[in-house]
Structures are given as C-alpha cells and as structure tokens.
C-alpha cells in the first residue's frame, strides 16, 4: 500500500505544471521576437559614423573623456552651450553620457556604438511585449503580434542604425519601464515606491529626449483608464506626476534662459517659417500623410525629408475645392476615428486597453505633428519609433476584436497575411540597414528616392569635395560633379544657405575667386551669423587683396564665437 502511494506521489511530481509550461513558452516567444528584431539591423554593426553622428559624436567635445563630465548638462546634444544663440536647444545629456561611456571603452570605433543601439532596440522590444501583455491580459496572442511587428518595422531602422537615434531608443525604454511598473503593481492603490519610480523614469526619459516628459501624462491616463475608483484616489496617485511634469517644464525653460525659439533654418523645417496659414495647414496635412504612409507602407525610406522632397501642396484646387493631399489626409483621419469609435462602442472586451492605446498614440504623435510645437525637422523616420508602438498595439487590438467574430475558415487566411507582412517588413529592415553602413551609400539611396532633396545633394557634393582634397587631387571631374549637386540643391531649395556657400567654395577652389564672392554673399543673406560662411568669405576677400574688409569679417567671426580663435587659412567645408 505504501509502495502504491509512493508511486502515485512520483507520478504527481512528474506531471508538468501548466503555469510553468506557459511561462517557459512566454519566455521563448519573447526571446524569439527580440532575436528577430536584433537580427534585422545587424548589417550596420560594422558600419561607420554617418549623417548626424559626426556632429553629435566625432566632433562633440562632451563625448571625449578629456572634457569635464558636467559640461554635458550645460550643453545641447551637439556640444554647444545650450544658451548660445546658435544652439538648436536639444537637451539630451543622458544620451551623451552613454556616448561618453562608449568612447571610454572604444574611443571612436563605431562598432561599440552600433552594438549598443542594437542592444537597446532589443530591450525596447522586450519591454513593449511585456507592456502589451499587461494591457491585453485576455489576448496574449495580440500582444505577441504587435511586438513582432514593432521589432521588424522598417521605419525603425533610422533610430537604430543612426547612432544619434539612441535618444529615441532610451526615451522609449524609460517610458515603457514606467508603464510596466504601474501595470505590474497589484496593490489596491499604487504603492509609494511605484509612484516614485515613475518620477525617476520620467526624469531619465526627459534627460534622454525632451519628449520623454510625456511619461507623466501617459501614466496619469493609465490610472484614469485602469485604476480609477474615485477622483480623490486618482488625484492622490497622479498629483506628484503632474507636479513633476510642470517642474521639468520650468527647468527646461530656465536652462534655455526662457528662450523658446531654437536656431532652425528653412531647410530644416519650412513650416516654422511659413506665414501663410493656408499653406501651413496644407503642409501639416502633407506631413501627416507621409507619416501615415511610413506606418502602413514603409517601402520607400529616406534619411531626410526636406521641403523639396515631398510633392508640392501649397494651394487649394479651384476645381475640387480642396487640395488632393489634404482631402486624402482628412479621409484617413475619419477612417481612423470611425474604426476606433465603432469597435469601442460595439465590443465591450478590451475597451480600456483600446482606448489607452489610442490616446497613447495621440499623445506620442503630437510632438511631431507641427500643431503648436516647432521642431527642427519636417519629417523624420526616427520620430516614429515611440508612436509606432501604441499604433501597432491599437491596430492589432482592432484586428483581433474583429477576427474573433469571423468564421474559422477566415482565420488561417488572416494569420497567413500577418506572417507575410512580418516577413516583408523584416526583409525591408535588413535591406535598409545596409544603406546606413556608409555615408555615400546612404546619401545616394536617399537621392534615388528624392532626387530633388537639397540636403542630400549638398551632403553628397560636400563628400566629393572632401574626398578630392584628402586625395590631394582636386580633379575637374570631381569638382564638376560636386558643383552639379550644389546647383541642384539651390535650384530646388533657394533658401539653402550652405548649398550657396558650397557653390562659392567650388569656384574658390577652381581659382574663380570673384565668382565665389557672389555665392558667399548670397549665403550670408540667408544666414548672416554662420561662422563657416563668414570665414570662407573672409578668405576670398583676402585673395582679392581686400584686406581691410577681410579683417572686419574675421573680427565678426571671433565676436560670434565669443573667444579669440584665429581664422583658418584654407577654406573649410560645411
């Protein structure tokens, strides 16, 4: 009898625990999703510093260990004093600190910088899957689907492959960490530790990127959606976050010297300078259309979306009564709103999660909407890294809600289409990451998409000039090719000051000094305080034996820089 009981006891212990199996399966699936996301961007692991990386890392003194560590808290993202008139007011000291750590271990070898970004994308993917599981407790499959699409979305390649995109990665990681903490808090009221940890995550998100401050309203909205019992309880939980939000707004204003206008140019963001309300409104709808396309159909990608890249959208069509691009954008807005309201009103399950994801998307997309806020770019793929997460969660929830009510025969078709989409996006991400390995390949790939892009034409022309000077051979064919790109840039973007400057620089290198002065003066009309243009203008004046005028120009350069720097005796590049 005792032997039988013993055998029964052994049999019970040998039976697998369903909870353990589910946990192991969950870990396996999450690890697989993270692995897929990481593998999509490994092509860039041996790439070089490209695009903005050279300004934020290579030429940034705050990244080097020789500079005082506290300087990064007084400077902008590019190493310039944040109250300087030439600063673009971007404040991301925590990201600069990680660059400094990379420099300490590997100096300026790009491998460590790219590996860190890829690792951070894996962490962000894992945290997003866990957050989605916490929000969609009764629909874990939907959470995994949204996580997989987030891991492989092609629009994320810029934030991952461009090292300066680390600001997006880190800000999103701290946002998700704060959400996961309050989602996982099972107490009747949020514990003091959870509320304090949200404040800490909000601080870190803000020090990674300015938009990280939205952690506080987002967590407040979560409490309203999921943990609301009474207004007094809600205020007790969220009041510290509201206070932290406004406190850090004040801190940022103080750091900027209460100056809210950053140093932008029409090439960076033409909407910032547009005075005509109709043109500005149409331009904003055009930007929203492009972001919508990037979310749904990210086949065509570019590292820059300048004013000459997007099709013209400047006036109302007299025959139609409204511009076609504005009509398309408005139609998409109504489709979003109708689909969301229909599902919310018709189906009860998942209402709160659906509503939370919708508002999360609206909150995170607001900073790049050009509605009331001025940013230093027109359209940028990296800015979609955070908004894409709630958008994919919202779409997956919407699709899952309707899938539950279709016949069994339709489900295999749906899952098949989902896998095709995931494979397509993963392949596109792998191919796109190859473009970020080399600057020349990156610029050429962008010009293949937008041949009129003024910034890319200017960048490629500048690269040709630098290559010719480094080789010690200023060949006419290379200079002619560079001049072609500069002329294209000024043709489609007449307000591009550096392109006009570079046209003058080519003529200066060719010995046509008198002609170069015309282009330098045209550039100075657009950017009268640009020290590089002033310096090269002074060099051209010296070569024309106009010594007194050149001396005044060099004095102006020193005054702008606020210290006595000797002007260079050979032309510099933009």
């Amino acid at each position: 009898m005792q032997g039988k009981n013993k055998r029964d006891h052994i049999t019970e212990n040998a039976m697998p625990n369903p909870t353990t199996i589910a946990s192991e399966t969950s870990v396996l699936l999450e690890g697989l999703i993270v692995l897929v996301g990481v593998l999509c961007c490994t092509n860039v692991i041996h790439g070089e510093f490209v695009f903005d990386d050279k300004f934020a890392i290579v030429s940034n003194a705050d990244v080097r260990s020789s500079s005082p560590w506290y300087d990064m808290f007084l400077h902008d993202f590019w190493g310039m004093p944040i109250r300087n008139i030439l600063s673009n007011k971007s404040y991301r000291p925590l990201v600069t600190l990680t660059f400094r750590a990379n420099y300490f271990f590997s100096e300026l070898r790009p491998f460590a910088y790219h590996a860190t970004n890829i690792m951070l994308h894996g962490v962000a993917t894992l945290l997003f899957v866990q957050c989605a599981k916490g929000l969609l407790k009764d629909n874990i499959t939907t959470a995994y689907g949204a996580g997989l699409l987030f891991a492989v979305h092609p629009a994320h390649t810029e934030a991952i492959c461009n090292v300066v995109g680390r600001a997006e990665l880190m800000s999103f990681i701290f946002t998700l960490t704060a959400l996961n903490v309050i989602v996982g808090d099972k107490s009747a009221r949020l514990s003091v530790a959870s509320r304090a940890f949200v404040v800490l995550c909000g601080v870190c998100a803000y020090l990674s990127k300015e938009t990280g401050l939205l952690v506080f309203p987002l967590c407040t909205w979560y409490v309203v959606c999921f943990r609301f019992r009474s207004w007094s309880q809600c205020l007790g939980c969220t009041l510290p976050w509201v206070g932290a939000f406004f406190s850090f707004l004040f801190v940022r204003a103080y750091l900027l010297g209460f100056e809210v206008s950053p140093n932008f140019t029409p090439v960076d963001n033409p909407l910032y300078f547009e005075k005509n309300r109709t043109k500005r409104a149409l331009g904003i709808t055009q930007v929203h259309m492009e972001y919508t396309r990037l979310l749904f159909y990210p086949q065509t990608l570019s590292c820059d979306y300048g004013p000459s890249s997007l099709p013209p959208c400047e006036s109302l069509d007299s025959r139609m009564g409204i511009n076609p691009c504005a009509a398309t954008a408005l139609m998409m807005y109504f489709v979003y709103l109708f689909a969301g309201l229909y599902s919310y009103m018709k189906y009860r399950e998942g209402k709160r999660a659906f509503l939370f994801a919708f508002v999360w998307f609206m909150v995170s997309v607001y900073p790049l909407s050009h509605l009331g806020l001025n940013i230093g770019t027109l359209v940028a793929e990296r800015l979609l890294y955070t908004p894409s997460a709630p958008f994919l969660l919202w779409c997956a929830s919407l699709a899952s809600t309707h899938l539950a009510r279709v016949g069994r025969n339709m489900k295999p078709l749906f899952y098949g289409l989902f896998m095709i989409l995931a494979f397509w996006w993963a392949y596109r991400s792998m191919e796109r990451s190859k473009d970020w390995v080399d600057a020349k390949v990156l610029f050429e790939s962008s010009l293949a998409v937008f041949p009129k892009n003024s910034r890319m034409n200017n960048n490629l022309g500048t690269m040709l000039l630098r290559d010719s000077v480094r080789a010690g051979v200023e060949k006419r064919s290379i200079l002619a090719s560079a001049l072609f790109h500069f002329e294209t840039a000024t043709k489609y973007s007449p307000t591009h000051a550096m392109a006009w400057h570079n046209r003058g620089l080519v003529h200066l290198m060719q010995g046509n000094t008198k002609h170069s002065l015309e282009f330098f003066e045209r550039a100075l009309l657009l950017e009268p305080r640009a020290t590089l243009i002033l310096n090269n203008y002074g060099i051209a004046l010296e070569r024309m034996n106009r010594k007194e005028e050149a001396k005044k120009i060099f004095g102006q350069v020193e005054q702008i820089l606020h210290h006595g720097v000797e002007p260079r005796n050979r032309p510099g590049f933009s």
Side-chain angles (χ1 to χ4, degrees), residues 290-303:
E290 190 63 20
Y291 277 128
T292 302
R293 181 194 68 80
L294 287 171
L295 284 171
F296 280 111
Y297 187 72
Q299 179 65 22
T300 303
L301 300 172
S302 173
C303 65

Side-chain angles (χ1 to χ4, degrees), residues 154 298-301 423-433:
Q299 179 65 22
T300 303
L301 300 172
F423 276 115
W424 167 41
W425 280 6
Y427 175 77
R428 185 68 187 99
S429 294
M430 294 179 69
E431 290 298 306
R432 178 58 178 165
S433 64

Side-chain angles (χ1 to χ4, degrees), residues 223-419:
V223 171
V224 171
C225 274
F226 289 92
R227 305 182 73 100
F228 182 83
R229 289 180 175 83
S230 66
W231 284 112
S232 59
Q233 176 263 347
C234 183
L235 286 174
C237 287
T238 61
L239 199 58
W241 303 340
V242 175
F245 177 79
F246 287 105
S247 297
F248 281 106
L249 282 180
F250 176 82
V251 169
R252 174 165 174 80
Y254 173 78
L255 286 171
L256 301 181
F258 298 96
E259 172 62 48
V260 296
S261 297
N263 184 41
F264 296 151
T265 67
V267 177
D268 298 323
N269 182 5
L271 293 178
Y272 179 76
F273 299 90
E274 183 58 66
K275 303 301 181 183
N276 186 295
R277 292 184 178 181
T278 301
K279 289 184 178 181
R280 180 176 174 82
L282 291 172
I284 290 173
T285 59
Q286 186 182 33
V287 167
H288 293 183
M289 280 184 58
E290 190 63 20
Y291 277 128
T292 302
R293 181 194 68 80
L294 287 171
L295 284 171
F296 280 111
Y297 187 72
Q299 179 65 22
T300 303
L301 300 172
S302 173
C303 65
D304 184 78
Y305 294 78
S308 52
S309 300
L310 303 180
C313 185
E314 297 182 346
S315 61
L316 296 174
D317 191 309
S318 58
R319 292 170 297 174
M320 298 177 61
I322 190 170
N323 187 281
C325 69
T328 306
L330 289 172
M331 181 180 67
M332 289 187 297
Y333 298 154
F334 281 118
V335 169
Y336 295 159
L337 187 61
F338 175 78
L341 290 176
Y342 175 78
S343 298
Y344 181 77
M345 298 297 293
K346 188 173 179 62
Y347 307 127
R348 291 186 176 183
E349 65 271 17
K351 273 189 178 183
R352 290 182 296 179
F354 187 88
L355 186 60
F356 176 77
F358 181 77
V359 174
W360 181 8
F361 172 70
M362 298 303 294
V363 168
S364 58
V365 84
Y366 174 70
L368 52 94
S369 66
H370 298 277
L371 298 172
L373 289 178
N374 297 312
I375 60 176
T377 185
L378 190 63
V379 176
E381 294 165 12
R382 65 183 180 276
L383 299 182
L384 285 176
Y385 193 81
T386 296
S388 66
F391 179 79
L392 292 171
L393 182 61
W394 181 73
C395 289
S397 300
L398 184 63
S400 177
T401 300
H402 289 281
L403 183 65
R405 284 159 178 78
V406 300
R408 291 184 178 181
N409 296 334
M410 294 297 294
K411 290 185 178 181
L413 176 62
F414 173 83
Y415 289 125
L417 292 174
F418 172 81
M419 292 308 299

